Amino acid sequence: MFLKMRTALQKLRHLRFDGRQQARRPTSSFAQEEASRYRPGQKIHGFTVGEVSAVPDLFLTAVTLTHDGTGARYLHAARDDSNNLFSVQFRTTPTDSTGVPHILEHTVLCGSERYPCRDPFFKMLNRSLSTFMNAFTASDFTMYPFSTQNGKDFQNLLSVYLNAVFFPCLREQDFRQEGWRLENENPSDPDTPLVFKGVVFNEMKGAFADNEQVFAQHVQNKLHPDHTYGVVSGGEPLAILDLSWEQLRRFHATHYHPTNARFFTYGDLPLEQHLEQIEQEALSKFGTIDPNTEVPPQPRWSSPREAHVTCSPDALAPDPARQNTLCVSYLLGGITDTFEAFTLSLLSSLMISGPNSPFYKALIEPKIGTDFCSAVGYNGRTKEASFSVGLQGMHEDDTERVKRIISETIDDVIAIGFEEERIEALLHSIEIDMKHQSTNFGLSLASYIASSWNHDGDPVALLHVNRNVLEFRRALKERPRLLQEKVKLYFKENTHRLTLSMSPEDTYMDKETRAETEKLQAKVQALCEADRKDIYERGLQLLAAQSETQDTSCLPALQVSDIEPTVPATAVQDGSAGGVPVQYCEQPTNGLVYFRAMCSLNSLPEDLLLHVPLFCQVVTRMGCGELDYRQQAQQMELRTGNMSVSCHAIADFADLDVYEQGVLLSSCCLEKNLPHMFRLWSDIFNSPRFDDEERLRVLVMMSAQELANGISHSGHHYAMTRAQRHLTPSGELQEAFGGMEQVKFMKRIAEGSDLNLVMRTLPRIKKHLLNPDSMRCAVNAAPQKTPDAAAQLESFMKDVAANKKALKPVKSNIRERPLDPHGPIRKLIAEPQFQPWEMKTFFQMPFPVNFISESSRTVPFCHEDTASLRVLARMMTAKFLHREIREKGGAYGGGAMHKGGLFSFYSYRDPNSAATLSAFREGVNWAKSGRFSQQDIDEAKLSVFSGVDSPVAPSDKGMRRFLSGVTHDMKQQHREGLFAVSHQSLVQAAERYLGAGQRTRGVAILGPENERFQKDPSWIVK
């Protein structure tokens, strides 16, 4: 997977921590105590201990080691977390844009010496209980991480990963499948034309259809032009076609060596066990080399530079006449200076984040553009960091104006500096981020340290986040103008500055297509008859290999018997506050309190439903009470971790024609800030501000731009939402809230010159939604803090009691569902007369690849067949669809899933359309025929259980009951149903719900122009 660039601040905010299930976190832990016994210089299984450092901020002990025979570096983070993680990363520094590290990342996972079967990586997804398995190609490193809560599973996956990266088969056939190949359009017919195929080739064609990603890539390439950052590590589509198999093998030999590797393990499993396995299975077989992969410093420019690029027009842009992008980028210092990098990431946030930042005020609020450009902010993913600021969605005539504003804003910051309260707000947000406990901390930690460690930075220094905070406070106290000095040094006086602009070109896609056609013609014309015959024969060989049943007996696997038979219970208590039902869940939340409120939409007139997502976007961002929107944003940053409102539409667990509709309020805060958090919510309930048209216009444009940008990388979700639209009553609502219907609605709003109608609509929505009479609440907090949280919630309900009104539901058929036999009541809408109907929709988009989905209505969660349908979806994905859609078809991804009573097929960045729809139907026939084994069923069960049993953060415990009414007993019954799934039940489920004539299906495709669908009257073309 090609890893998009992310800023250091974003990486910092990925530091989420997974807590143990105890009321109080101990000051020490077993895993930490064991790790603290190691001593510098100690020899362990071929490694020498370097440093042993307690990191109390993160409740872990860090141990660094070096492998004696190869020089491989190792970091172990011992922590009482059962979700253990392993990662190995290599510094990969390509010198061209053929995508060699990216294609190599794919190819090493296609078979190895010990596990020679095709594609062991994907096969292990169904033979383990992993909580994460993937691989990433960044600009200068490639990472292979996995995580699991099962010790045996960890050893199995470690063995597969080690053998894959150090002893891969690297077969030419796998290179041709994953990278690129010249092949007959129909491999079985030599008379069909020759075309380019390949998984990475199509993946990157899709990536380069994303204008935001294209712009960010150009920024990096042009700001660091003289070495590896001047090329596209993921591969430029046409350049990929120049890569040879021999070049791939050479790149592996020079880059995938232990001397060039960095190992990272995390969790509560013993370090020595990891070291012994890594030494025995991999490192003992290598010596030391000079990998020569170091990235030299970028030579500094003596004067600033400018550049211009073009892109494809966006038909869904908020304003078709304003599709230009411009940014100014500055090359900063090395990322291995931990404190300087920390300071610059904070400075970046102060300059661009939120409505109080100077660049937001100067660039966003004048509505020169729709939003910041995609490359905005601090980027610490390269050896030398950078900072970028600019706009997208702007008019070409404003180019010089934007340049001038950026320069003037820098001057203003140097002169004025930043308010102390803004700095405190940002430091507070870091404290919140450090305390928040999530389920993927090991993975987030691996990502956080990867770039600096890749360039020989100290990973342990990065872990001591609080040291950097304290050092920053001390430095700022000693030098009050510290931040202004940094702005002057890195921005005002920096001659290594790039101004990059991008504009749409009507013929852009035609040029891209013509360039690919010309490259294809050149390659085809160079072929002799023997070459053509060889291509045809190799195509047949690949097709035969893809179709062949694989012997996977060499691969390790867990058994269904390894799965726990029961689901652990989560204790909750039901109460009330001001007459509003409240669910309390006592958890080790590490000093934070989490609040949610579900507010019903049942009384909202239907003509206002499309406005609800916009209401959710703006209600916490336009001011409230005595606070204008800037003051509100400041108080939210100072007093809370987050305050958000989101749409909620979910089918009932027992009846697909029954559903709940509402909005979910979410927030968290430090325990000491509970009164402040609820005061902010009180002001939002009692006196939200919707009268600032200028502020509303900014938020509308940003929202519309964000929706339009999201289609190119989330197209399969949009296709799936549209395909499901007419299959259940809740499907229509989900399309309105988060589908193409919402994208087009927001485009119309953004294009309008008058927002008065919207401004009149928002208070009407508020009257129906922020109503204590139709809401229920949930609080997750530490046991000792729950009584205080309950008292504060009671006070909040008194403050907002004036909003409590008994409003009549729009639809009369209301079904009451208690959260459990004696719990609070959920008021759901029932539509017993609903009739699903079939619709096929094609959205023509400026993409060279397709996003496809086909969905069928099945049964709700509590139905006995749901377990079979979940296992069937996983088995069809692994045993049929992956082969047909990805391996043969060349799509980046594809499969099936069962969720919310709907069985959905999908494909992602897919060069095909009709062939993929045929693969969906063939998959159903395969399932109905029963051509699968008990081993196939067991593997699918393991895959399903890996999701069912994935860790749940303390902040989210009890949330499934609260949101959807699914109780512990229902989950246990479903679990038993999964264990009981049989060959017969799978065949029957396929016949009953997926067979022709047995289902009502919806189909949706987002993709390039397609005459077939345009001429077919059964398709609606948008």
Side-chain angles (χ1 to χ4, degrees), residues 505-524:
E505 183 179 16
D506 291 337
T507 60
Y508 182 85
M509 288 301 298
D510 292 337
K511 287 182 177 179
E512 294 289 302
T513 302
R514 188 163 57 250
E516 183 179 334
T517 301
E518 291 171 355
K519 189 137 192 171
L520 176 63
Q521 289 174 345
K523 287 186 178 289
V524 170

Side-chain angles (χ1 to χ4, degrees), residues 574-621:
D574 291 317
S576 66
V580 174
V582 184
Q583 172 185 289
Y584 294 99
C585 186
E586 296 181 345
Q587 293 291 321
T589 53
N590 198 23
L592 297 178
V593 177
Y594 296 86
F595 167 73
R596 278 94 162 190
M598 177 61 70
C599 303
S600 174
L601 284 171
N602 289 353
S603 67
L604 186 73
E606 291 189 4
D607 64 306
L608 300 183
L609 284 174
L610 274 171
H611 288 82
V612 171
L614 177 60
F615 175 87
C616 294
Q617 285 279 325
V618 306
V619 70
T620 59
R621 302 167 71 187

Side-chain angles (χ1 to χ4, degrees), residues 367-387:
K367 298 181 291 297
I368 308 168
T370 55
D371 203 347
F372 284 124
C373 63
S374 58
V376 69
Y378 179 87
N379 176 18
R381 283 279 181 182
T382 51
K383 184 175 182 178
E384 294 165 291
S386 61
F387 172 83

Side-chain angles (χ1 to χ4, degrees), residues 946-958:
S946 71
V948 169
D949 292 339
S950 60
V952 179
S955 58
D956 294 327
K957 290 280 188 177

Side-chain angles (χ1 to χ4, degrees), residues 871-872 875-876 879-880 923-938 940 981-990:
V871 174
L872 181 64
M875 187 174 67
M876 289 176 71
K879 302 301 177 181
F880 187 88
V924 173
N925 292 334
W926 173 84
K928 288 165 59 181
S929 72
R931 297 197 302 270
F932 46 85
S933 66
Q934 185 60 45
Q935 177 68 26
D936 296 335
I937 299 171
D938 289 345
V981 167
S982 65
H983 190 282
Q984 182 181 8
S985 72
L986 291 170
V987 172
Q988 289 176 345

Side-chain angles (χ1 to χ4, degrees), residues 86 88 108-125 127-128 133 144-146 152-169 277-278 281-282 552-558:
F86 165 84
V88 59
V108 299
L109 299 174
C110 287
S112 63
E113 289 181 8
R114 187 173 178 181
Y115 308 108
C117 63
R118 297 186 71 255
D119 222 348
F121 172 79
F122 279 98
K123 290 178 173 60
M124 286 302 296
L125 287 170
R127 300 169 73 90
S128 86
M133 280 179 67
Y144 297 85
F146 72 77
K152 178 182 176 184
D153 198 27
F154 190 98
Q155 291 180 318
N156 290 347
L157 290 170
L158 180 56
S159 182
V160 172
Y161 267 60
L162 290 174
N163 210 250
V165 297
F166 290 114
F167 311 106
C169 293
Q277 186 174 355
I278 292 169
E281 296 189 15
T552 59
S553 59
C554 62
L555 289 172
L558 294 181

Side-chain angles (χ1 to χ4, degrees), residues 66-72 257-260 283 285-291:
T66 302
H67 186 251
D68 300 332
T70 64
H257 189 280
T259 307
N260 194 43
L283 301 192
K285 300 171 176 62
F286 291 90
T288 303
I289 66 166
D290 179 5

